[in-house]
Amino acid sequence: MSHTLSPSDTPTLSAETLQCDVAVIGGGPAGLMAAEVLAQAGVAVHLFDAMPSVGRKFLLAGKGGLNLTHSEPHEPFVGRYAGREQQIEPLVRAFGGPELRAWAQGLGVETFVGTSGRVFPADMKAAPLLRAWLQRLRGQGVLFHMRHRWLGWADEGVLRLAAPAGEVRVAAKAVVLALGGGSWARLGSDGAWVPLLAQRGVAVEPLRPSNCGFDVLRADAPVGETRRAFLQELLGRTPAPTVGWTPHFSEKFVGQPFKTVALSFTDSHGRSFSRRGEFVVTATGVEGSLVYAASHLLRDEVQAHGHATFHLDLLPDHSPERVLVEVRHPRGSRSLSSHLKSRLGLDGIKAGILYEHLGKDGMNDPVALAHAIKALPITVVAARPLDEAISTAGGVAFEALDAQLMATAFPGVFCAGEMLDWEAPTGGYLLTASMASGRVAGEGALRWLGRSAGA
């Protein structure tokens, strides 16, 4: 059984149906990798993307230095894909960090391992790698059709695409969908594909933000239901939680980072997170690498209970006993701020967050102050919107796919990349799994066509 797809690519084909072996929808890393596998086997591949050029999110990810993958061993690497280790493991076993580095080297791009274990191109840039990749794909015969937005299928199973000259249709023997998640819509990942697949009986989990920031509950706002909130609910009103920082803290510290801190959190199911790192204060809350690393636990807890409270250790190199001794040390005529700075090195944003949460009375209680320095509670009440997230959770359920990532409800249609229901922290894990799944989908399409890799 074969299926057709409904996009076409050039204005001259707008009134006809384009016939092709395989149509790849989506020009991110997963789609490009699927196209490469197919083209290497001699298959005629047409790749369609809604944007004017491919790899836009890939280029953005490399703006501060392209993190290709991570150098850690296979077992801990697979453990980063919370809840989907079983499904991701065979993908990255076949194409993990070492294979990705070798692949980059084949494009003339040398890589190195940073101090954190992350792997980067030698020049840290994404553009040279993408240019070399596209040049190789074009040399292998891949045809690119830009500004072609997928609209779904016509009744006869032909793909429909909105192109500059009007709607075009594509009949393909196999289709690889690599449409991304729902974050960074302006770069092409807008989640518009969700209802198109759901209408065809493909199970799709709701898209949710991942590697995201959060809005915090104001330090002076109560957690949980208050009498006023209860009365408002009886009157049919839903009061919004008081989010963000106090004006004094916002004016001084929005945009500044917390450095050398540790974040710990245990959710209502007993799942725990504890790590050192950095994050940034935003106008309404927190974001940054340390927050992103815990975001899947915080997000799920907020979704289940309306709030989640993590604890911040402002001095992870100091024991609680030492902190208490230093706080209690006689300060004579010095101000408390000067005392904390001289004895513990606490000033700036770290001192500011203590005043934000403790107030003057709490700051003058040595036991309360020492406890807050080592375990300051910060409550978050909402994840930032989906389009602000680095990546998304949710998507096409693995249970709806076979081992080659083909939709069991729609034979001949394969799915890859961030549109699958998995998530991972930053650190090269997202890109590695996206490319690995693209390879598997491409190999699956080859099998569907009765071909083999390298044929």
Side-chain angles (χ1 to χ4, degrees):
M1 179 180 181
S2 62
H3 279 278
T4 37
L5 108 154
S6 62
S8 150
D9 92 301
T10 59
T12 57
L13 295 171
S14 59
E16 304 174 359
T17 297
L18 171 65
Q19 304 283 338
C20 65
D21 286 341
V22 180
V24 176
I25 313 295
L32 294 175
M33 189 58 77
E36 180 168 89
V37 169
L38 290 155
Q40 285 175 341
V43 174
V45 180
H46 289 254
L47 188 146
F48 303 87
D49 195 279
M51 305 305 289
S53 58
V54 300
R56 293 203 159 194
K57 193 173 180 182
F58 180 78
L59 291 173
L60 180 68
K63 194 172 182 180
L66 179 63
N67 180 197
L68 275 173
T69 187
H70 203 285
S71 62
E72 67 185 351
H74 181 71
E75 292 303 322
F77 192 104
V78 171
R80 305 297 183 184
Y81 301 90
R84 284 301 189 184
E85 296 93 338
Q86 183 178 353
Q87 291 81 12
I88 297 296
E89 194 279 333
L91 308 184
V92 299
R93 185 186 343 112
F95 191 79
E99 291 78 16
L100 203 159
R101 295 185 72 183
W103 169 85
Q105 187 176 35
L107 288 170
V109 176
E110 297 296 327
T111 58
F112 72 95
V113 179
T115 55
S116 64
R118 300 183 182 201
V119 176
F120 301 90
D123 63 2
M124 299 292 288
K125 297 178 181 177
L129 188 151
L130 182 60
R131 282 196 299 268
W133 196 4
L134 294 178
Q135 182 178 4
R136 185 163 74 182
L137 289 171
R138 290 189 178 99
Q140 292 169 338
V142 176
L143 297 177
F144 292 85
H145 308 290
M146 309 315 299
R147 294 187 174 90
H148 281 63
R149 180 176 296 278
W150 183 52
L151 302 175
W153 289 273
D155 291 339
E156 64 273 23
V158 171
L159 293 163
R160 299 174 51 227
L161 287 140
E167 183 175 314
V168 264
R169 299 195 171 199
V170 177
K173 298 173 183 176
V175 178
V176 176
L177 298 177
L179 291 154
S183 62
W184 295 90
R186 72 176 190 272
L187 302 178
S189 298
D190 58 8
W193 53 267
V194 171
L196 301 178
L197 287 182
Q199 290 164 8
R200 290 279 173 160
V202 179
V204 180
E205 296 296 324
L207 296 178
R208 298 176 293 160
S210 182
N211 291 297
C212 57
F214 292 86
D215 294 336
V216 299
L217 185 72
R218 275 274 290 269
D220 54 1
V223 177
E225 188 175 62
T226 64
R227 175 178 170 81
R228 181 180 180 185
F230 175 71
L231 292 173
Q232 287 181 315
E233 186 176 346
L234 287 178
L235 294 173
R237 303 170 187 165
T238 305
T242 306
V243 301
W245 309 101
T246 61
H248 175 74
F249 186 81
S250 292
E251 289 169 10
K252 295 190 67 176
F253 299 114
V254 164
Q256 292 192 26
F258 278 103
K259 294 186 176 183
T260 318
V261 295
L263 187 156
S264 60
F265 174 68
T266 300
D267 70 8
S268 54
H269 299 288
R271 298 182 298 174
S272 295
F273 173 91
S274 181
R275 189 176 302 174
R276 293 173 60 148
E278 300 181 5
F279 67 93
V280 176
V281 168
T282 67
T284 60
V286 293
E287 67 178 20
S289 58
L290 188 56
V291 172
Y292 298 158
S295 62
H296 65 291
L297 295 178
L298 295 171
R299 177 202 63 216
D300 291 351
E301 189 76 359
V302 169
Q303 185 173 342
H305 301 286
H307 59 86
T309 300
F310 65 82
H311 289 87
L312 194 61
D313 185 345
L314 298 173
L315 296 174
D317 292 325
H318 292 55
S319 68
E321 293 78 14
R322 179 185 170 187
V323 170
L324 183 58
V325 167
E326 297 294 354
V327 168
R328 281 177 163 169
H329 191 277
R331 59 186 173 95
S333 61
R334 289 183 305 177
S335 68
L336 179 58
S337 295
S338 297
H339 179 68
L340 292 176
K341 183 177 181 180
S342 64
R343 303 299 303 184
L344 291 168
L346 278 173
D347 62 351
I349 193 169
K350 289 186 177 181
I353 197 72
L354 289 169
Y355 278 100
E356 174 86 349
H357 279 261
L358 294 176
K360 289 184 178 180
D361 290 342
M363 291 294 289
N364 287 308
D365 181 336
V367 174
L369 176 55
H371 185 267
I373 290 170
K374 293 299 292 178
L376 183 73
I378 295 181
T379 298
V380 297
V381 292
R384 294 299 298 163
L386 190 66
D387 197 45
E388 293 181 18
I390 290 177
S391 59
T392 50
V396 177
F398 278 93
E399 293 75 14
L401 306 171
D402 67 11
Q404 282 72 51
L405 303 182
M406 183 175 74
T408 54
F410 206 173
V413 175
F414 300 80
C415 300
E418 278 195 55
M419 67 184 296
L420 302 179
D421 180 21
W422 60 277
E423 62 180 319
T426 57
Y429 306 104
L430 292 165
L431 186 55
T432 302
S434 289
M435 296 176 77
S437 65
R439 290 188 68 85
V440 170
E443 291 164 356
L446 281 179
R447 293 189 185 93
W448 179 254
L449 297 173
R451 306 284 287 274
S452 60

